[in-house]
Amino acid sequence: MIKQIEKYLEEVKNFNSNDLKEIDAFRIKFISKKGILNQLFAEFKNVPNEEKKLFGQKINELKQAATEKVNGLKEAAENNNDEQAGELDLTRPGYPTEIGSRHPISIVKNQIIEIFKRIGFNVSEGPEIEDDWHNFTALNLPEYHPARDMQDTFFLQQNPDWLLRTHTSSVQTRYMEAHQPPIRTISPGRVYRNEDISARSHCIFHQVEGLYIDKGVSFADLKQTLLFFTKEMFGKSKIRLRPSYFPFTEPSAEVDIYWGLETETDYRITKGTGWLEIMGAGMVDPNVLKNMNIDPEEYTGFAFGMGIERIAMLLYQIPDIRMFYENDIRFLKQFESIV
Ligand code: PHE
């Protein structure tokens, strides 16, 4: 009896086919109601007691082997059939493919780049892990300069001379090292500041900074460039420059645009004044030019820098900066139609 089961086991093991009919015949032979397995189970009561245990084990083994064999072969044969072009229904509608959308940060960044490209600026990039020189010292911020505290910095633990750049002005210093004027470049990128995370500020955000150096560049050039930008970007043609301080520019200014006071939202975001601060700017400090081996007697320049999140929040009325980094699909989907 046991020998017979061993033989069946051997037969199951050796069976192979990719023909569904053959596989089904095999299934009927072994697993169906009148199949071999059921016959063997019926036999069970006639088996002498001392053999019952081994007999039971063997039939179960056979049952498992036959079931696995049938399922495995069936699956393989079906997959195989799917691939045969003859069986394909070419009139069936395709599976819809989800089309992704651009992140609002990328959308706004690209818009800013496009606008400045039209007036001759190129795009420059640099490393996010920076050294002290490019992020601070070269920008007229020597060690112990109190203005270093304006930007809370993440330092690298292994070597405090390395840090996560606090602004993309570091790209401008690298650019000035590598190029002589005339320089017209904008530097978009991610920056880091050790700040508490809230609806208004985050420890990671994005900037676009601009730099223009040539003979005879004046504050009037800066103002007209910014005016051009705000007209193109926001459709607003009134700006004002408020005196301010940055170590790398002199004189320095905060740039406000007149947003208007037409709606309730306008009141809320401008705190009832109609004016919105959108960037910092100024004439490149002669010390910075000297650090970069550019003769300040021969060349002058201007620089500006703005936060992309802030502008995206304004344009799309996004209430909380944290939404940019949560990757919530419901948030991101809203930007599908914009390229
Ligand atoms: N680097 C400044 C900041 O990150 C912005 C700025 C750039 C200001 C250029 C003036 C000129 O805050």
Side-chain angles (χ1 to χ4, degrees):
M1 210 47 173
I2 302 278
K3 278 229 175 80
Q4 182 56 41
I5 301 179
E6 301 267 355
K7 253 174 142 181
Y8 286 140
L9 269 168
E10 197 65 21
E11 187 184 338
V12 169
K13 207 174 117 195
N14 291 333
F15 178 72
N16 195 8
S17 167
N18 58 10
D19 180 60
L20 282 170
K21 275 192 198 125
E22 257 177 58
I23 299 167
D24 206 46
F26 176 83
R27 182 188 63 80
I28 291 167
K29 181 172 172 194
F30 279 93
I31 315 176
S32 68
K33 232 176 176 182
K34 292 193 173 149
I36 290 170
L37 272 159
N38 273 351
Q39 285 169 26
L40 287 170
F41 278 120
E43 235 15 79
F44 196 71
K45 58 181 186 297
N46 303 327
V47 175
N49 274 346
E50 63 276 15
E51 274 183 36
K52 271 199 158 83
K53 188 173 168 207
L54 184 63
F55 186 81
Q57 272 173 6
K58 283 284 166 195
I59 337 180
N60 277 326
E61 200 180 314
L62 181 63
K63 186 179 171 189
Q64 200 182 345
T67 318
E68 275 172 13
K69 181 63 108 186
V70 169
N71 290 344
L73 288 177
K74 240 171 125 177
E75 198 180 322
E78 275 163 5
N79 283 343
N80 208 5
N81 280 349
D82 278 354
E83 279 160 24
Q84 282 165 11
E87 307 261 326
L88 272 185
D89 177 2
L90 293 176
T91 63
R92 219 170 107 173
Y95 295 107
T97 320
E98 285 271 344
I99 298 177
S101 56
R102 256 189 230 294
H103 194 279
I105 299 285
S106 299
I107 295 172
V108 171
K109 181 184 84 176
N110 291 344
Q111 279 174 351
I112 299 173
I113 291 174
E114 274 316 306
I115 293 170
F116 282 105
K117 261 192 181 169
R118 270 185 266 148
I119 49 173
F121 282 77
N122 66 11
V123 176
S124 49
E125 286 181 343
E128 292 181 21
I129 298 177
E130 230 347 323
D131 53 33
D132 183 281
W133 168 255
H134 292 98
N135 195 81
F136 287 129
T137 308
L139 288 161
N140 202 27
L141 272 155
E143 222 187 329
Y144 304 120
H145 194 294
R148 282 196 178 204
D149 291 343
M150 282 165 72
Q151 301 175 348
D152 294 315
T153 310
F154 286 115
F155 292 96
L156 265 65
Q157 215 173 5
Q158 291 84 344
N159 182 352
D161 189 45
W162 290 90
L163 45 90
L164 298 179
R165 67 182 180 196
T166 57
H167 49 189
T168 54
S169 306
S170 59
V171 181
Q172 304 181 332
T173 44
R174 285 181 179 275
Y175 196 87
M176 284 186 272
E177 273 175 350
H179 302 86
Q180 277 297 308
I183 289 172
R184 248 174 290 167
T185 189
I186 52 170
S187 317
R190 186 182 295 150
V191 300
Y192 303 82
R193 289 188 199 174
N194 191 359
E195 274 176 35
D196 290 339
I197 297 172
S198 71
R200 302 252 106 221
S201 70
H202 208 286
C203 56
I204 301 175
F205 59 101
H206 298 75
Q207 281 190 326
V208 177
E209 299 225 350
L211 178 70
Y212 190 139
I213 302 176
D214 204 346
K215 288 180 181 152
V217 177
S218 71
F219 203 89
D221 297 321
L222 168 61
K223 197 177 160 200
Q224 288 308 312
T225 305
L226 296 180
L227 193 59
F228 170 77
F229 169 72
T230 49
K231 274 186 193 161
E232 296 293 309
M233 189 78 201
F234 306 102
K236 312 271 181 191
S237 52
K238 205 154 109 186
I239 60 171
R240 78 178 175 197
L241 298 159
R242 273 181 296 113
S244 182
Y245 171 75
F246 296 104
F248 25 86
T249 47
E250 180 60 37
S252 305
E254 305 274 0
V255 183
D256 299 342
I257 54 173
Y258 189 69
W259 192 258
L261 279 175
E262 273 156 37
T263 65
E264 219 169 294
T265 319
D266 293 346
Y267 265 89
R268 186 168 45 78
I269 60 177
T270 67
K271 299 197 181 86
T273 65
W275 291 96
L276 266 180
E277 182 192 321
I278 51 156
M279 63 172 116
M283 301 305 290
V284 180
D285 194 293
N287 284 338
V288 175
L289 296 177
K290 266 188 233 153
N291 287 340
M292 299 285 100
N293 290 324
I294 296 172
D295 182 0
E297 299 298 327
E298 198 180 349
Y299 293 105
T300 50
F302 63 73
F304 55 87
M306 64 193 114
I308 302 182
E309 278 80 353
R310 187 172 158 71
I311 292 177
M313 286 167 87
L314 279 175
L315 288 176
Y316 301 120
Q317 314 221 336
I318 297 165
D320 191 320
I321 195 170
R322 289 169 288 202
M323 291 177 148
F324 290 116
Y325 319 111
E326 281 163 356
N327 282 335
D328 186 329
I329 204 83
R330 292 166 300 180
F331 172 71
L332 297 173
K333 262 184 169 297
Q334 297 177 74
F335 301 93
E336 254 169 12
S337 59
I338 314 169
V339 274

